[in-house]
Amino acid sequence: MAISLQDIIPQINAEIHGAISSAEIDLVSIDSRSMQNNAQTLFFALSGSNYDAHDYISELIDKGVQNFVVTHIPENLEGKATFYIVSNTKIALQQFAAYYRNLFNFPVIGITGSNGKTIVKEWLNFLLSPDYNIIRSPKSYNSQVGVPLSVLAINKMHNLGIFEAGISTLGEMQTLEKIIKPTIGILTNIGTAHDEGFANIGEKIKEKLQLFKGVDVLIYHKNKSIEQFLPCIALAVTPFTKEQGKTFSWSFKDKEADVFISKSVVLDKTHLTVDYQKESFDLKVPFLDDASVENAIQCLMVLLYFGYSFATIESRMELLYPVEMRLKVKNGINNTTIIDDSYSSDFQSLKIALDFLESQKQHKKKTLILSDIFQSGLSNDELYARVSQLVIANKIHRVIGIGETISNYKTKFVNCGTFKSTDDFIEAFDSLTFENETLLIKGARSFEFEKIVTLLEQKTHETVLEINLNAISHNLSYFKTKLKTTTKLMVMVKAFGYGNGGFEIAKLLEHLKVDYLGVAFADEGISLKISGIKTKIMVLNPENTSFPSIIQYELEPEIYCMKGLNAFLKIAEQKELHHYPIHLKIDTGMHRLGFQERDLPVLIETLKNTPSIKVKSILSHLATSDDLENRAFTHEQIALFEKLSQRIMDELGINPIRHILNTSGISNFGESQYDMVRLGIGLYGISNDDKEQKYLENVSTLKSVISQIRTIDKGESVGYGRRFIAEKTTKIATIPIGYADGISRSWGNEIGYVMIKNQKAPILGSICMDMLMVDCTAIPCTEGDSVVIFGENPTVKMIAEKTHTIPYEILTSISQRVKRVFYRE
Ligand SMILES: *Cc1c(COP(=O)(O)O)cnc(C)c1O
């Protein structure tokens, strides 16, 4: 994009503070972490319940950004940059995008529906890219913010747009329609699930249809409950003709549809017979499941509408492939971290991947492995000049280019090696070094970069714990909505982030600006500090011997007894510290750690005249905050906390942070939030309250694969002790995960199950140390298929109930030999 600021201002009704430069803007950004921000950036300071980008403006000014769309000028920044003040920055971004969209006039496909939007978009891109310069939403950017950002990436070379729109409540589609302005509409599977945000399914359909009110044609799966609402957007069901047809429908059942399709399964493909305008032809798609077949047909409809020949349609559709949209973080060989984005390569998604690399970086050194880039809408000279600028802005140390085209532009990059093909790279692999660095692997599908990922990935067994970083952010915002804006937040990342991974989660929390992190032992805090975490860290249970290293790494100890206090004071005085922060723990009824009422006189006396330390906070811990039957006990704990902490504060004349609530405390005793709360299990998506559970997103999914399948006869047994005897012929799958990985034996013997292809497979017989066996008689599965041990279903909570423990124990028991993979949606 290249657009002058003068043109933008009237579009967003901004009041200007500062000088407007005559320079053009070539990037719109909302992400303060992006290293792509520079003097040509227009930054929109969005804010949400847990996030306010106005807080990052001063950092951005230091990085050279000069133009900001804001709701107010942050303190002390007046005159330091140019500010465009609007009443709502998100709306301003949307207005700007709508204006920008209107500068272009080419066909735009708009996709909405409940399921399949991203897949249809990616497949259409694949099917149409031989003939068009396509601009499409990157990843699944389909929200009120994602759509404007997608549209703002259009440039003058594009001649076809494909954008998806997702909504969660009434009124949102109106806004997206103005920004996308589709000329061709696709309504994917609408789903019957009752969504939050809509009164009923009719209301949901009507709202989704708003996207299509200006289209030349709407493509949809013929369905009466949708058709009754078409008049609302001035469309009628008419037989399709190229000249006037406004709807273009397909069906497996209804011969009235414009396209009638019959399907059958032959081996591993679905064969479709397509009847269209009195002609008929056959094609194959490489999928068996209903959802994929439906999505493929939506794409087929677009090809028919565009007038492609049956032969072309047939040959292109046969090549459709499964879509993987997630950026994954994996552990690689020689202490490398891999960011795997091996399924797409276009300029927009490269920018997103580089931002992700920056937010995740765990090593100073960064290498980019990049294939040829397709469909940028730019000439190769211009494209690789821009890629080179991006690489420099992101301080990438080394580039490995793979492909004929990128090889020709080798000289554009510093420290660059190139290979003509993926196979050439693999051949040379042994002569290359990869160590102590982060590797971003980004390639177009045809380059099969998954082969490179396999080479670089650390070899462990096939079981992984996948951690959804978006869900963590979501859960954090949810709990923030329960707090006053002034209440500080400590997040507990003890026990390796409740089993989910310490550093990665701490890094995300640091970005989300939590006030404190809490760990159990000094070494956990030290390893976070060594990895570069700067957020303050409280150590709950420091051993006296760890005090010197606590001080060396600037950790803040919790002090819970006189012996500890005296030991810490001695070291603090020796090191001549001044006001070193400590946290006083009071025992109000948990009877685990902490000063009791009778200890207070000595404690207070000791703390008088100790300038080497400072009581930063006073805390206590609740024993039954999750159990409302025991609420009287909790109220007693809180009352005692109030009394004792007040006494310490009065007698010492201090005003520390006070905190007592853990997750269930926040849910049930919010009125006692004091100055800070300590969030733990809730962040990881688990609530003790079923109502609240609905608002949290699942964070961790434990996955494995089927190692072997066999069929046993009636009367035969499975596993140690022959605890399962087959009553009929039974198909058994062996999964390489056992109690040494943290799966309790009490989940075996048909009490528990795993999910294979979305179906329950009961665990048969005793769980072994490294393996378990399941019944998959009714499931069409093969060796190598993926298995879910827990996640959305079964949930950790369900397993905990059935095995008579608590979710905390299950999460923290997952052995460290299980690889952790972090991803963002
Ligand atoms: C673990 C812990 C928390 C967090 O508890 P959750 O129930 O996981 O929210 C809070 N405070 C202290 C002292 C803890 O040990």
Side-chain angles (χ1 to χ4, degrees), residues 232-284:
C232 305
I233 51 164
L235 287 189
V237 184
T238 47
F240 176 75
T241 60
K242 195 85 204 178
E243 300 68 44
Q244 49 172 333
K246 285 264 190 178
T247 57
F248 190 34
S249 66
W250 64 273
S251 179
F252 292 128
K253 292 190 211 122
D254 188 344
K255 296 255 176 194
E256 300 282 291
D258 301 303
V259 177
F260 184 79
I261 296 173
S262 347
K263 63 174 173 177
S264 59
V265 170
V266 179
L267 293 173
D268 55 347
K269 295 200 163 107
T270 301
H271 288 224
L272 302 175
T273 302
V274 182
D275 293 323
Y276 171 51
Q277 293 184 340
K278 307 211 167 68
E279 290 187 77
S280 177
F281 69 103
D282 289 337
L283 60 94
K284 298 189 262 302

Short mmCIF file of all heavy atoms in Angstrom, two decimals, residues 232-284:
data_model
loop_
_atom_site.label_atom_id
_atom_site.label_comp_id
_atom_site.label_asym_id
_atom_site.label_seq_id
_atom_site.Cartn_x
_atom_site.Cartn_y
_atom_site.Cartn_z
N CYS A 232 -34.58 -11.17 2.53
CA CYS A 232 -34.06 -10.10 3.42
C CYS A 232 -32.89 -9.37 2.78
O CYS A 232 -32.58 -8.24 3.15
CB CYS A 232 -33.56 -10.67 4.74
SG CYS A 232 -34.74 -11.62 5.62
N ILE A 233 -32.14 -10.05 1.91
CA ILE A 233 -31.02 -9.35 1.27
C ILE A 233 -31.31 -9.18 -0.22
O ILE A 233 -30.40 -9.09 -1.04
CB ILE A 233 -29.68 -10.09 1.48
CG1 ILE A 233 -29.79 -11.57 1.10
CG2 ILE A 233 -29.20 -9.95 2.91
CD1 ILE A 233 -28.45 -12.25 0.91
N ALA A 234 -32.59 -9.14 -0.54
CA ALA A 234 -33.04 -8.89 -1.91
C ALA A 234 -32.52 -9.92 -2.90
O ALA A 234 -32.20 -9.62 -4.05
CB ALA A 234 -32.64 -7.47 -2.34
N LEU A 235 -32.38 -11.16 -2.47
CA LEU A 235 -32.05 -12.25 -3.39
C LEU A 235 -33.24 -13.19 -3.43
O LEU A 235 -33.95 -13.34 -2.44
CB LEU A 235 -30.82 -13.03 -2.92
CG LEU A 235 -29.45 -12.38 -3.04
CD1 LEU A 235 -28.38 -13.39 -2.72
CD2 LEU A 235 -29.24 -11.83 -4.44
N ALA A 236 -33.45 -13.81 -4.58
CA ALA A 236 -34.52 -14.79 -4.68
C ALA A 236 -33.93 -16.07 -5.24
O ALA A 236 -32.89 -16.03 -5.90
CB ALA A 236 -35.61 -14.27 -5.60
N VAL A 237 -34.58 -17.18 -4.96
CA VAL A 237 -34.10 -18.44 -5.52
C VAL A 237 -34.58 -18.52 -6.96
O VAL A 237 -35.77 -18.60 -7.21
CB VAL A 237 -34.67 -19.63 -4.73
CG1 VAL A 237 -34.10 -20.93 -5.26
CG2 VAL A 237 -34.41 -19.44 -3.27
N THR A 238 -33.64 -18.46 -7.88
CA THR A 238 -34.03 -18.54 -9.29
C THR A 238 -33.08 -19.51 -9.96
O THR A 238 -31.94 -19.65 -9.51
CB THR A 238 -33.85 -17.17 -9.98
OG1 THR A 238 -32.56 -16.68 -9.61
CG2 THR A 238 -34.91 -16.19 -9.55
N PRO A 239 -33.54 -20.18 -11.03
CA PRO A 239 -32.60 -21.02 -11.74
C PRO A 239 -31.45 -20.15 -12.24
O PRO A 239 -31.67 -19.04 -12.71
CB PRO A 239 -33.41 -21.60 -12.89
CG PRO A 239 -34.83 -21.40 -12.50
CD PRO A 239 -34.87 -20.18 -11.63
N PHE A 240 -30.26 -20.65 -12.11
CA PHE A 240 -29.10 -19.84 -12.41
C PHE A 240 -28.91 -19.64 -13.92
O PHE A 240 -28.95 -20.59 -14.70
CB PHE A 240 -27.86 -20.51 -11.85
CG PHE A 240 -26.60 -19.80 -12.21
CD1 PHE A 240 -26.28 -18.61 -11.56
CD2 PHE A 240 -25.76 -20.28 -13.18
CE1 PHE A 240 -25.12 -17.93 -11.89
CE2 PHE A 240 -24.60 -19.60 -13.52
CZ PHE A 240 -24.28 -18.44 -12.87
N THR A 241 -28.74 -18.39 -14.31
CA THR A 241 -28.27 -18.11 -15.67
C THR A 241 -27.14 -17.10 -15.53
O THR A 241 -27.14 -16.30 -14.59
CB THR A 241 -29.36 -17.46 -16.56
OG1 THR A 241 -29.75 -16.24 -15.93
CG2 THR A 241 -30.56 -18.36 -16.74
N LYS A 242 -26.22 -17.17 -16.44
CA LYS A 242 -25.04 -16.32 -16.36
C LYS A 242 -25.44 -14.83 -16.31
O LYS A 242 -24.82 -14.03 -15.64
CB LYS A 242 -24.14 -16.61 -17.56
CG LYS A 242 -22.73 -16.08 -17.42
CD LYS A 242 -21.83 -17.05 -16.67
CE LYS A 242 -20.69 -16.26 -16.05
NZ LYS A 242 -19.76 -16.96 -15.28
N GLU A 243 -26.50 -14.46 -17.04
CA GLU A 243 -26.87 -13.05 -17.17
C GLU A 243 -27.48 -12.49 -15.90
O GLU A 243 -27.15 -11.41 -15.46
CB GLU A 243 -27.85 -12.83 -18.34
CG GLU A 243 -27.32 -13.24 -19.70
CD GLU A 243 -27.13 -14.75 -19.87
OE1 GLU A 243 -28.03 -15.51 -19.45
OE2 GLU A 243 -26.07 -15.17 -20.37
N GLN A 244 -28.41 -13.25 -15.30
CA GLN A 244 -29.15 -12.62 -14.22
C GLN A 244 -29.15 -13.45 -12.93
O GLN A 244 -29.71 -13.02 -11.95
CB GLN A 244 -30.58 -12.35 -14.67
CG GLN A 244 -31.18 -13.58 -15.31
CD GLN A 244 -32.65 -13.38 -15.58
OE1 GLN A 244 -33.31 -12.63 -14.92
NE2 GLN A 244 -33.17 -14.07 -16.58
N GLY A 245 -28.55 -14.63 -12.98
CA GLY A 245 -28.65 -15.50 -11.81
C GLY A 245 -28.00 -14.89 -10.59
O GLY A 245 -26.84 -14.52 -10.61
N LYS A 246 -28.74 -14.75 -9.53
CA LYS A 246 -28.19 -14.18 -8.31
C LYS A 246 -27.87 -15.28 -7.29
O LYS A 246 -27.12 -15.07 -6.37
CB LYS A 246 -29.19 -13.20 -7.70
CG LYS A 246 -29.25 -11.89 -8.46
CD LYS A 246 -28.34 -10.87 -7.79
CE LYS A 246 -28.58 -9.49 -8.39
NZ LYS A 246 -27.75 -8.48 -7.76
N THR A 247 -28.49 -16.44 -7.48
CA THR A 247 -28.12 -17.54 -6.59
C THR A 247 -27.66 -18.70 -7.44
O THR A 247 -28.09 -18.87 -8.59
CB THR A 247 -29.32 -18.03 -5.74
OG1 THR A 247 -30.37 -18.40 -6.62
CG2 THR A 247 -29.78 -16.95 -4.77
N PHE A 248 -26.76 -19.51 -6.87
CA PHE A 248 -26.18 -20.62 -7.60
C PHE A 248 -26.01 -21.73 -6.57
O PHE A 248 -25.12 -21.68 -5.73
CB PHE A 248 -24.84 -20.17 -8.19
CG PHE A 248 -24.23 -21.14 -9.17
CD1 PHE A 248 -25.01 -21.92 -10.02
CD2 PHE A 248 -22.84 -21.25 -9.26
CE1 PHE A 248 -24.42 -22.79 -10.92
CE2 PHE A 248 -22.25 -22.11 -10.17
CZ PHE A 248 -23.04 -22.88 -11.00
N SER A 249 -26.94 -22.71 -6.61
CA SER A 249 -26.99 -23.66 -5.51
C SER A 249 -26.63 -25.07 -5.96
O SER A 249 -26.66 -25.39 -7.14
CB SER A 249 -28.40 -23.66 -4.92
OG SER A 249 -29.31 -24.17 -5.88
N TRP A 250 -26.28 -25.91 -4.99
CA TRP A 250 -25.98 -27.31 -5.29
C TRP A 250 -26.64 -28.19 -4.25
O TRP A 250 -27.00 -27.72 -3.17
CB TRP A 250 -24.47 -27.54 -5.31
CG TRP A 250 -23.79 -27.32 -3.99
CD1 TRP A 250 -23.31 -26.14 -3.52
CD2 TRP A 250 -23.53 -28.30 -2.98
NE1 TRP A 250 -22.77 -26.30 -2.28
CE2 TRP A 250 -22.88 -27.63 -1.92
CE3 TRP A 250 -23.76 -29.67 -2.87
CZ2 TRP A 250 -22.47 -28.28 -0.76
CZ3 TRP A 250 -23.35 -30.32 -1.71
CH2 TRP A 250 -22.71 -29.63 -0.67
N SER A 251 -26.81 -29.47 -4.61
CA SER A 251 -27.44 -30.38 -3.66
C SER A 251 -27.10 -31.82 -3.99
O SER A 251 -26.79 -32.16 -5.14
CB SER A 251 -28.95 -30.19 -3.68
OG SER A 251 -29.55 -31.07 -2.77
N PHE A 252 -27.15 -32.69 -2.99
CA PHE A 252 -27.07 -34.14 -3.20
C PHE A 252 -28.47 -34.72 -3.38
O PHE A 252 -28.62 -35.83 -3.84
CB PHE A 252 -26.46 -34.84 -1.98
CG PHE A 252 -25.00 -34.54 -1.73
CD1 PHE A 252 -24.58 -34.11 -0.48
CD2 PHE A 252 -24.06 -34.73 -2.73
CE1 PHE A 252 -23.24 -33.86 -0.23
CE2 PHE A 252 -22.71 -34.48 -2.48
CZ PHE A 252 -22.31 -34.04 -1.23
N LYS A 253 -29.50 -33.97 -2.95
CA LYS A 253 -30.84 -34.56 -2.87
C LYS A 253 -31.85 -33.86 -3.76
O LYS A 253 -32.73 -34.48 -4.31
CB LYS A 253 -31.36 -34.44 -1.43
CG LYS A 253 -30.63 -35.30 -0.45
CD LYS A 253 -31.39 -35.29 0.89
CE LYS A 253 -30.43 -35.44 2.05
NZ LYS A 253 -30.50 -34.35 3.01
N ASP A 254 -31.73 -32.53 -3.85
CA ASP A 254 -32.79 -31.73 -4.44
C ASP A 254 -32.49 -31.45 -5.92
O ASP A 254 -31.55 -30.72 -6.24
CB ASP A 254 -32.88 -30.41 -3.64
CG ASP A 254 -34.07 -29.58 -4.05
OD1 ASP A 254 -34.64 -29.86 -5.12
OD2 ASP A 254 -34.42 -28.65 -3.29
N LYS A 255 -33.28 -32.05 -6.79
CA LYS A 255 -33.02 -31.90 -8.23
C LYS A 255 -33.26 -30.47 -8.71
O LYS A 255 -32.90 -30.11 -9.83
CB LYS A 255 -33.91 -32.87 -9.03
CG LYS A 255 -33.62 -34.33 -8.76
CD LYS A 255 -32.85 -34.96 -9.93
CE LYS A 255 -32.51 -36.41 -9.57
NZ LYS A 255 -31.54 -37.05 -10.40
N GLU A 256 -33.93 -29.67 -7.91
CA GLU A 256 -34.16 -28.26 -8.26
C GLU A 256 -32.89 -27.43 -8.19
O GLU A 256 -32.84 -26.32 -8.71
CB GLU A 256 -35.16 -27.63 -7.28
CG GLU A 256 -36.53 -28.29 -7.25
CD GLU A 256 -37.36 -27.86 -8.43
OE1 GLU A 256 -37.75 -26.68 -8.48
OE2 GLU A 256 -37.60 -28.70 -9.34
N ALA A 257 -31.90 -27.91 -7.52
CA ALA A 257 -30.66 -27.15 -7.38
C ALA A 257 -30.03 -26.93 -8.75
O ALA A 257 -30.24 -27.71 -9.68
CB ALA A 257 -29.70 -27.89 -6.46
N ASP A 258 -29.24 -25.86 -8.86
CA ASP A 258 -28.61 -25.56 -10.16
C ASP A 258 -27.58 -26.63 -10.53
O ASP A 258 -27.35 -26.90 -11.69
CB ASP A 258 -27.92 -24.19 -10.10
CG ASP A 258 -28.92 -23.10 -9.77
OD1 ASP A 258 -29.89 -22.96 -10.51
OD2 ASP A 258 -28.72 -22.40 -8.74
N VAL A 259 -26.95 -27.19 -9.51
CA VAL A 259 -25.97 -28.25 -9.75
C VAL A 259 -26.37 -29.43 -8.87
O VAL A 259 -26.54 -29.28 -7.66
CB VAL A 259 -24.55 -27.78 -9.41
CG1 VAL A 259 -23.55 -28.90 -9.60
CG2 VAL A 259 -24.16 -26.57 -10.24
N PHE A 260 -26.51 -30.60 -9.51
CA PHE A 260 -26.90 -31.78 -8.74
C PHE A 260 -25.71 -32.73 -8.70
O PHE A 260 -25.08 -33.00 -9.70
CB PHE A 260 -28.12 -32.46 -9.39
CG PHE A 260 -28.61 -33.62 -8.59
CD1 PHE A 260 -29.39 -33.41 -7.46
CD2 PHE A 260 -28.25 -34.92 -8.94
CE1 PHE A 260 -29.83 -34.48 -6.70
CE2 PHE A 260 -28.68 -36.00 -8.18
CZ PHE A 260 -29.47 -35.78 -7.06
N ILE A 261 -25.43 -33.23 -7.51
CA ILE A 261 -24.21 -34.02 -7.34
C ILE A 261 -24.52 -35.36 -6.70
O ILE A 261 -25.29 -35.43 -5.73
CB ILE A 261 -23.20 -33.23 -6.47
CG1 ILE A 261 -22.79 -31.96 -7.22
CG2 ILE A 261 -21.98 -34.08 -6.15
CD1 ILE A 261 -21.93 -31.02 -6.46
N SER A 262 -23.95 -36.43 -7.26
CA SER A 262 -24.03 -37.73 -6.58
C SER A 262 -22.62 -38.13 -6.19
O SER A 262 -21.66 -37.79 -6.89
CB SER A 262 -24.62 -38.81 -7.48
OG SER A 262 -25.18 -38.27 -8.63
N LYS A 263 -22.50 -38.83 -5.07
CA LYS A 263 -21.15 -39.20 -4.65
C LYS A 263 -21.06 -40.67 -4.29
O LYS A 263 -22.04 -41.29 -3.89
CB LYS A 263 -20.72 -38.34 -3.46
CG LYS A 263 -21.54 -38.53 -2.22
CD LYS A 263 -20.95 -37.76 -1.03
CE LYS A 263 -21.92 -37.84 0.15
NZ LYS A 263 -21.45 -37.21 1.36
N SER A 264 -19.84 -41.21 -4.45
CA SER A 264 -19.59 -42.58 -4.01
C SER A 264 -18.13 -42.65 -3.60
O SER A 264 -17.31 -41.82 -4.00
CB SER A 264 -19.85 -43.55 -5.16
OG SER A 264 -19.00 -43.21 -6.24
N VAL A 265 -17.81 -43.63 -2.75
CA VAL A 265 -16.44 -43.74 -2.27
C VAL A 265 -15.76 -44.88 -2.99
O VAL A 265 -16.30 -45.98 -3.08
CB VAL A 265 -16.44 -43.98 -0.75
CG1 VAL A 265 -15.04 -44.33 -0.27
CG2 VAL A 265 -16.98 -42.76 -0.03
N VAL A 266 -14.59 -44.59 -3.58
CA VAL A 266 -13.81 -45.66 -4.20
C VAL A 266 -12.40 -45.59 -3.60
O VAL A 266 -11.72 -44.57 -3.72
CB VAL A 266 -13.74 -45.49 -5.73
CG1 VAL A 266 -12.90 -46.62 -6.34
CG2 VAL A 266 -15.14 -45.48 -6.34
N LEU A 267 -12.01 -46.62 -2.90
CA LEU A 267 -10.74 -46.65 -2.16
C LEU A 267 -10.65 -45.43 -1.24
O LEU A 267 -11.53 -45.19 -0.45
CB LEU A 267 -9.55 -46.74 -3.13
CG LEU A 267 -9.48 -48.06 -3.91
CD1 LEU A 267 -8.38 -48.02 -4.96
CD2 LEU A 267 -9.27 -49.24 -2.95
N ASP A 268 -9.58 -44.61 -1.44
CA ASP A 268 -9.43 -43.49 -0.51
C ASP A 268 -9.90 -42.16 -1.11
O ASP A 268 -9.48 -41.10 -0.71
CB ASP A 268 -7.97 -43.40 -0.05
CG ASP A 268 -7.03 -43.30 -1.23
OD1 ASP A 268 -7.48 -43.55 -2.38
OD2 ASP A 268 -5.85 -43.00 -1.03
N LYS A 269 -10.75 -42.23 -2.14
CA LYS A 269 -11.21 -40.99 -2.76
C LYS A 269 -12.74 -40.95 -2.83
O LYS A 269 -13.38 -42.00 -2.85
CB LYS A 269 -10.66 -40.86 -4.18
CG LYS A 269 -9.15 -40.72 -4.20
CD LYS A 269 -8.67 -40.12 -5.51
CE LYS A 269 -7.26 -39.61 -5.36
NZ LYS A 269 -6.24 -40.40 -6.00
N THR A 270 -13.28 -39.75 -2.90
CA THR A 270 -14.71 -39.62 -3.13
C THR A 270 -14.92 -39.25 -4.60
O THR A 270 -14.28 -38.32 -5.10
CB THR A 270 -15.31 -38.52 -2.23
OG1 THR A 270 -15.05 -38.88 -0.87
CG2 THR A 270 -16.81 -38.40 -2.43
N HIS A 271 -15.75 -40.03 -5.28
CA HIS A 271 -16.06 -39.73 -6.69
C HIS A 271 -17.34 -38.93 -6.74
O HIS A 271 -18.32 -39.29 -6.09
CB HIS A 271 -16.24 -41.03 -7.48
CG HIS A 271 -14.95 -41.75 -7.70
ND1 HIS A 271 -14.60 -42.29 -8.90
CD2 HIS A 271 -13.92 -41.98 -6.86
CE1 HIS A 271 -13.39 -42.85 -8.80
NE2 HIS A 271 -12.97 -42.68 -7.56
N LEU A 272 -17.31 -37.85 -7.50
CA LEU A 272 -18.50 -37.01 -7.62
C LEU A 272 -18.96 -37.01 -9.07
O LEU A 272 -18.15 -36.89 -9.99
CB LEU A 272 -18.16 -35.56 -7.21
CG LEU A 272 -17.61 -35.35 -5.80
CD1 LEU A 272 -17.21 -33.88 -5.61
CD2 LEU A 272 -18.63 -35.75 -4.75
N THR A 273 -20.27 -37.16 -9.25
CA THR A 273 -20.84 -36.98 -10.58
C THR A 273 -21.63 -35.68 -10.55
O THR A 273 -22.50 -35.50 -9.69
CB THR A 273 -21.77 -38.16 -10.94
OG1 THR A 273 -20.99 -39.34 -10.87
CG2 THR A 273 -22.34 -38.00 -12.35
N VAL A 274 -21.27 -34.78 -11.46
CA VAL A 274 -21.82 -33.43 -11.41
C VAL A 274 -22.77 -33.23 -12.59
O VAL A 274 -22.37 -33.38 -13.75
CB VAL A 274 -20.67 -32.39 -11.50
CG1 VAL A 274 -21.21 -30.98 -11.41
CG2 VAL A 274 -19.63 -32.66 -10.43
N ASP A 275 -24.04 -32.93 -12.30
CA ASP A 275 -25.00 -32.62 -13.37
C ASP A 275 -25.23 -31.12 -13.38
O ASP A 275 -25.71 -30.56 -12.39
CB ASP A 275 -26.35 -33.32 -13.10
CG ASP A 275 -26.21 -34.82 -13.23
OD1 ASP A 275 -25.45 -35.26 -14.11
OD2 ASP A 275 -26.84 -35.55 -12.43
N TYR A 276 -24.89 -30.49 -14.51
CA TYR A 276 -24.95 -29.03 -14.57
C TYR A 276 -25.37 -28.62 -15.97
O TYR A 276 -24.72 -29.01 -16.95
CB TYR A 276 -23.58 -28.47 -14.22
CG TYR A 276 -23.43 -26.98 -14.44
CD1 TYR A 276 -24.35 -26.07 -13.91
CD2 TYR A 276 -22.35 -26.48 -15.17
CE1 TYR A 276 -24.19 -24.71 -14.11
CE2 TYR A 276 -22.18 -25.12 -15.36
CZ TYR A 276 -23.11 -24.23 -14.83
OH TYR A 276 -22.95 -22.89 -15.03
N GLN A 277 -26.43 -27.86 -16.07
CA GLN A 277 -26.95 -27.39 -17.34
C GLN A 277 -27.00 -28.50 -18.39
O GLN A 277 -26.40 -28.42 -19.45
CB GLN A 277 -26.11 -26.20 -17.83
CG GLN A 277 -26.31 -25.00 -16.91
CD GLN A 277 -25.59 -23.75 -17.39
OE1 GLN A 277 -24.65 -23.82 -18.18
NE2 GLN A 277 -26.04 -22.61 -16.91
N LYS A 278 -27.67 -29.56 -18.03
CA LYS A 278 -27.92 -30.70 -18.93
C LYS A 278 -26.67 -31.47 -19.33
O LYS A 278 -26.71 -32.33 -20.20
CB LYS A 278 -28.66 -30.22 -20.20
CG LYS A 278 -29.92 -29.43 -19.88
CD LYS A 278 -30.97 -29.61 -20.96
CE LYS A 278 -32.32 -29.09 -20.51
NZ LYS A 278 -32.35 -27.62 -20.35
N GLU A 279 -25.55 -31.13 -18.71
CA GLU A 279 -24.37 -31.95 -18.99
C GLU A 279 -23.94 -32.64 -17.71
O GLU A 279 -24.35 -32.25 -16.62
CB GLU A 279 -23.22 -31.08 -19.51
CG GLU A 279 -23.50 -30.55 -20.91
CD GLU A 279 -22.30 -29.83 -21.47
OE1 GLU A 279 -21.37 -30.53 -21.90
OE2 GLU A 279 -22.29 -28.59 -21.44
N SER A 280 -23.08 -33.62 -17.87
CA SER A 280 -22.67 -34.38 -16.69
C SER A 280 -21.18 -34.72 -16.80
O SER A 280 -20.70 -35.01 -17.90
CB SER A 280 -23.51 -35.65 -16.62
OG SER A 280 -23.08 -36.42 -15.55
N PHE A 281 -20.46 -34.61 -15.69
CA PHE A 281 -19.07 -35.05 -15.73
C PHE A 281 -18.66 -35.58 -14.35
O PHE A 281 -19.35 -35.34 -13.36
CB PHE A 281 -18.12 -33.93 -16.20
CG PHE A 281 -17.98 -32.78 -15.22
CD1 PHE A 281 -16.83 -32.68 -14.43
CD2 PHE A 281 -18.96 -31.82 -15.09
CE1 PHE A 281 -16.68 -31.62 -13.53
CE2 PHE A 281 -18.82 -30.77 -14.19
CZ PHE A 281 -17.68 -30.66 -13.42
N ASP A 282 -17.54 -36.31 -14.34
CA ASP A 282 -17.09 -36.95 -13.10
C ASP A 282 -15.78 -36.33 -12.62
O ASP A 282 -14.97 -35.88 -13.43
CB ASP A 282 -16.80 -38.44 -13.34
CG ASP A 282 -18.10 -39.20 -13.54
OD1 ASP A 282 -19.15 -38.70 -13.08
OD2 ASP A 282 -18.05 -40.26 -14.19
N LEU A 283 -15.61 -36.34 -11.32
CA LEU A 283 -14.28 -35.95 -10.81
C LEU A 283 -14.05 -36.64 -9.48
O LEU A 283 -14.97 -37.20 -8.89
CB LEU A 283 -14.18 -34.43 -10.67
CG LEU A 283 -15.17 -33.72 -9.75
CD1 LEU A 283 -14.58 -33.56 -8.37
CD2 LEU A 283 -15.48 -32.35 -10.32
N LYS A 284 -12.80 -36.60 -9.03
CA LYS A 284 -12.45 -37.25 -7.77
C LYS A 284 -11.84 -36.22 -6.83
O LYS A 284 -11.10 -35.34 -7.27
CB LYS A 284 -11.39 -38.33 -8.00
CG LYS A 284 -11.83 -39.45 -8.91
CD LYS A 284 -10.82 -40.58 -8.91
CE LYS A 284 -9.84 -40.58 -10.06
NZ LYS A 284 -10.34 -40.64 -11.42
#
